[in-house]
Amino acid sequence: KQAAPAVVNIYSKRKVRNPFADDPFFRRFFSDRGGRERTQSALGSGVIVRADGIIVTNNHVVEGADEIVVALAVESENYR
C-alpha cells in the first residue's frame, strides 16, 4: 500500500525498418504491408526510486526508443 504510488507504467515507441523492404523477392509478397518502416510499441512498469524522478525499469522496455511516456498511478483514497 505504501509503495504503490511509486509504481509507474512506461509506454515506449520506436521506428523499426523492415529488413526485407529492399529485397525484390519479398517485396512481391509483402508490398501491401506498410512499406519500409513501422512503429513498434512496448509497455512495461517501473519504480520511482528517488525524489528527483529517477525511475528503474527493464532495459528492453526503453532500449532504442524514440518516444517514452511515463504514467503515474492515479491518486486514490486507497493510497493515503
Side-chain angles (χ1 to χ4, degrees), residues 5-25:
V7 177
V8 297
N9 286 324
I10 300 173
Y11 305 90
S12 67
K13 291 182 182 179
R14 72 179 180 130
K15 290 187 168 87
V16 292
R17 190 174 191 300
N18 179 349
F20 302 113
D22 295 325
D23 187 304
F25 176 78

Side-chain angles (χ1 to χ4, degrees), residues 40-61:
Q40 183 178 44
S41 298
L43 169 63
S45 60
V47 177
I48 302 170
V49 293
R50 289 191 355 199
D52 64 352
I54 299 295
I55 296 171
V56 175
T57 188
N58 287 306
N59 185 59
H60 71 270
V61 176

